[in-house]
């Protein structure tokens, strides 16, 4: 009926069977940003925010998000992640924060969704922690930048 991998012949949603795929080392990198007022960026860099350690809390939230991707995205496989790194950097050119996540596993399916989830949850946490001082913030440009491993091989944006 369709070439869509997550739809069966009867049009029902399904999780793709990856049991026949070989286990390979897989890494995905995703990025995004949160744009804010210059004053908000300054408040974070000077440690003057009402909710405390904004960047480290958002980085930790991103790691937790990657680990829970299968609970949040209905047809994602639960994966044993071997590595999750989330880095948030102040970027005065935006002004705001750039967010990068890298996720790794040895498995039968990729970790792009986990990397995207890590960036998304980190951005949402930044927004939550800063909304008391800046309601005009904007989350954007969330995308996969690179992936390695699997049948399709390596890909870089």
């Amino acid at each position: 009926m369709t070439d869509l991998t997550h739809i069966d012949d009867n049009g029902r949603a399904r999780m793709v069977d990856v049991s026949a795929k070989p286990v390979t080392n897989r890494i995905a990198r995703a990025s995004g940003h949160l744009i804010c007022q210059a004053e908000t960026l300054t408040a974070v860099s000077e440690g003057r925010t009402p909710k405390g350690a904004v960047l480290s809390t958002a980085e930790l939230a991103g790691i937790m998000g990657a680990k829970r991707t299968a609970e949040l995205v209905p047809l994602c496989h639960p994966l044993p992640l071997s590595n999750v790194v989330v880095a948030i950097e102040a970027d005065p050119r935006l002004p705001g924060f750039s967010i990068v996540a890298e996720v790794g596993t040895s498995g039968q399916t990729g970790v792009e969704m986990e990397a995207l989830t890590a960036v998304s949850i980190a951005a949402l946490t930044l927004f939550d922690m800063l909304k008391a001082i800046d309601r005009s913030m904007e989350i954007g440009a969330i995308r996969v930048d690179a992936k390695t491993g699997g049948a399709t091989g390596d890909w870089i944006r």
Side-chain angles (χ1 to χ4, degrees):
M1 175 178 162
T2 179
D3 291 333
L4 299 174
T5 59
H6 288 80
I7 304 292
D8 70 12
D9 290 338
N10 297 313
R12 292 188 181 100
R14 68 178 178 99
M15 181 183 278
V16 174
D17 183 357
V18 297
S19 60
K21 293 173 75 174
V23 172
T24 61
N25 290 327
R26 297 160 181 269
I27 298 171
R29 188 176 64 247
S31 64
H33 64 243
L34 180 130
I35 296 173
C36 62
Q37 297 175 12
E39 297 81 21
T40 305
L41 188 61
T42 300
V44 172
S45 66
E46 293 176 356
R48 295 185 291 105
T49 57
K51 292 192 176 182
V54 173
L55 300 183
S56 59
T57 302
E59 289 171 344
L60 182 57
I63 293 168
M64 293 172 66
K67 292 166 57 174
R68 301 192 93 169
T69 299
E71 295 174 38
L72 299 168
V73 182
L75 300 176
C76 281
H77 294 81
L79 300 175
L81 302 181
S82 56
N83 184 43
V84 180
V85 177
V86 177
I88 302 172
E89 300 290 334
D91 185 346
R93 294 170 299 172
L94 289 171
F97 301 92
S98 63
I99 306 162
V100 176
E102 186 169 289
V103 179
T105 192
S106 287
Q108 294 165 299
T109 190
V111 286
E112 294 91 340
M113 294 307 300
E114 287 73 12
L116 288 166
T117 301
V119 170
S120 300
I121 296 298
L124 290 169
T125 301
L126 281 175
F127 192 101
D128 180 53
M129 295 186 76
L130 296 172
K131 69 182 185 266
I133 60 173
D134 186 352
R135 295 224 181 250
S136 69
M137 294 176 292
E138 179 182 318
I139 294 169
I142 297 173
R143 66 189 198 177
V144 174
D145 294 319
K147 66 81 115 188
T148 63
T152 61
D154 298 350
W155 179 84
I156 297 174
R157 179 172 299 283

